[in-house]
Amino acid sequence: MPIQKSKWSLATANAVTGSVLLGTMGGGEFLMEPDDQKGVIYRFPYIVAGIGVSPMPVGLDFSHESMPGTGTRVIQWPNKLIKPTDFIGFFRVMTVEANFGPGVAAAVLIFGVGPFWEKGYCALTGGQVGIPTVGISGCFGYVIDWY
């Protein structure tokens, strides 16, 4: 089955992430817009936990939807990410970040728990503020609901 573009675009995200040594935890919400409802934003709250590498032993990052940020079209396996409830469940995220006060982070979101992606994937880059550092992390997350 070939992958295809879904009807969803990732607009931006709100997030708070903290790290101690190699552990990372956080939460926030993804903001997505469906093609068939231009101007309507669906919010998907989530939590994440995983591991990360950074020269700082402690980290704290914050991003808000009002900060510069942009996402990509969600790419999916056919008929996997049609309605908002299809996003609920596990996902993985790989993040690269650089903070010097204001900073930037880039992430790839992989929806589902299959060997690569069970449902689909997309990417996000955006502004954030936090403890000055650079880092990379890989986390498992769970989309809790939508509104």
Side-chain angles (χ1 to χ4, degrees), residues 14-38:
N14 296 311
V16 175
T17 306
S19 62
V20 176
L21 301 176
L22 296 178
T24 299
M25 292 185 69
E29 57 186 9
F30 303 125
L31 284 67
M32 296 202 196
E33 180 182 31
D35 291 342
D36 58 355
Q37 296 177 3
K38 287 292 185 192

Side-chain angles (χ1 to χ4, degrees), residues 9-17 26-33 41-48 61-72 91 93 95 105-109 111 122-129 143 147:
S9 291
L10 179 61
T12 189
N14 296 311
V16 175
T17 306
E29 57 186 9
F30 303 125
L31 284 67
M32 296 202 196
E33 180 182 31
I41 298 293
Y42 285 81
R43 296 172 180 267
F44 298 87
Y46 68 88
I47 54 173
V48 294
D61 303 309
F62 168 80
S63 65
H64 188 266
E65 63 192 82
S66 63
M67 296 175 169
T70 186
T72 66
F91 70 94
V93 59
T95 304
V108 175
L109 311 174
F111 297 103
C122 60
L124 174 70
T125 58
Q128 64 179 21
V129 294
V143 174
Y147 62 98

Side-chain angles (χ1 to χ4, degrees), residues 69-130:
T70 186
T72 66
R73 162 97 32 209
V74 177
I75 304 299
Q76 68 172 1
W77 290 106
N79 301 317
K80 289 289 187 178
L81 297 169
I82 306 298
K83 54 194 182 303
T85 54
D86 294 338
F87 286 94
I88 295 174
F90 287 100
F91 70 94
R92 290 165 286 163
V93 59
M94 294 295 301
T95 304
V96 177
E97 63 181 275
N99 282 328
F100 302 98
V104 66
V108 175
L109 311 174
I110 303 168
F111 297 103
V113 293
F116 295 103
W117 54 83
E118 176 187 325
K119 297 179 183 179
Y121 64 94
C122 60
L124 174 70
T125 58
Q128 64 179 21
V129 294

